[in-house]
């Protein structure tokens, strides 16, 4: 017997309207499963993809800063970078400002690989959010970016201005 998606949606809505944790957890698990398939060939899967993405698009000057930005233990980051180097996706260079520090840069192969992965990850994200219209997906992406960057004190203005601030009343209630 087929389930009526509208009835299932209404039941879910009625039971879970105020359960933010359930919503975020369900979305995260679906996202992780969809993206895991796409990035399966990258060393360390999703974590390796995140590192490659930040290396190409971010401004983390050293391997230590990269680990801190992504919340990865420095020892784990060393092994992760070793595997990305072995896969010819990144390489380590001596920092021009501190000869004791190493910075991680993408290889040409890493940039090409990331461009293809970004396209495939975006398709997986769109499939995960398939119940939303394309413009709604963009709104959700923007809202999630604001919250995540606000929690990490990351400037979204591009001007070096203050980071996005979360209303404390919303945090306390």
């Amino acid at each position: 017997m087929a389930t009526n998606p509208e009835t299932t949606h209404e039941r879910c809505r009625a039971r879970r309207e105020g359960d933010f944790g359930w919503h975020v957890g369900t979305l995260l698990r679906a996202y992780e499963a969809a993206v895991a398939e796409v990035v399966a060939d990258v060393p360390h899967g999703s974590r390796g993809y995140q590192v490659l993405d930040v290396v190409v698009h971010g401004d983390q000057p050293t391997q230590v800063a990269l680990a801190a930005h992504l919340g990865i233990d420095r020892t784990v980051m060393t092994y992760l970078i070793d595997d990305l180097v072995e896969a010819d996706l990144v390489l380590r260079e001596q920092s021009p400002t501190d000869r004791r520090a190493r910075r991680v840069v993408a290889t040409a192969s890493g940039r090409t690989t990331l461009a293809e992965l970004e396209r495939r990850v975006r398709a997986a994200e769109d499939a995960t959010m398939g119940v939303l219209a394309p413009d709604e997906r963009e709104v959700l992406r923007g809202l999630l970016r604001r919250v995540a960057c606000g929690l990490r004190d990351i400037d979204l203005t591009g001007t070096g201005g203050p980071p996005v601030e979360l209303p404390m009343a919303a945090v306390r209630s």
Side-chain angles (χ1 to χ4, degrees):
M1 175 178 200
T3 305
N4 180 342
E6 191 63 34
T7 304
T8 302
H9 172 71
E10 288 304 317
R11 265 191 258 137
C12 179
R13 182 173 168 219
R15 291 183 184 155
R16 298 287 184 179
E17 196 162 303
D19 195 346
F20 179 77
W22 184 82
H23 299 142
V24 172
T26 299
L27 179 59
L28 178 61
R29 285 185 295 279
Y31 168 83
E32 287 175 335
V35 171
E37 289 182 34
V38 171
V39 298
D41 293 335
V42 176
H44 301 268
S46 293
R47 181 68 51 95
Y49 168 75
Q50 288 177 334
V51 169
L52 183 58
D53 181 68
V54 172
V55 166
V56 171
H57 299 299
D59 61 353
Q60 306 312 313
T62 65
Q63 183 172 315
V64 171
L66 183 63
H69 175 75
L70 290 171
I72 299 173
D73 179 84
R74 292 185 313 182
T75 305
V76 173
M77 179 61 81
T78 299
Y79 295 115
L80 201 157
I81 297 295
D82 287 346
D83 292 342
L84 292 174
V85 167
E86 188 175 318
D88 191 36
L89 298 174
V90 301
L91 55 91
R92 288 184 179 97
E93 292 181 346
Q94 185 173 332
S95 170
T97 58
D98 181 356
R99 65 186 181 105
R100 297 165 298 165
R102 309 291 281 172
R103 64 185 199 147
V104 181
V105 296
T107 63
S109 174
R111 289 181 180 281
T112 302
T113 298
L114 180 64
E116 175 59 22
L117 287 172
E118 286 174 327
R119 184 188 63 73
R120 293 173 58 204
V121 165
R122 182 65 173 232
E125 291 171 355
D126 285 340
T128 300
M129 296 186 292
V131 299
L132 299 176
D135 60 325
E136 292 174 315
R137 293 177 205 155
E138 290 310 309
V139 168
L140 180 58
R141 282 182 174 103
L143 292 171
L144 291 171
R145 181 174 43 254
R146 281 178 48 201
V147 171
C149 290
L151 291 171
R152 296 295 302 270
D153 290 334
I154 297 171
D155 173 26
L156 290 177
T157 65
T159 63
V164 175
E165 291 186 30
L166 296 176
M168 289 312 293
V171 174
R172 284 187 216 116
S173 44

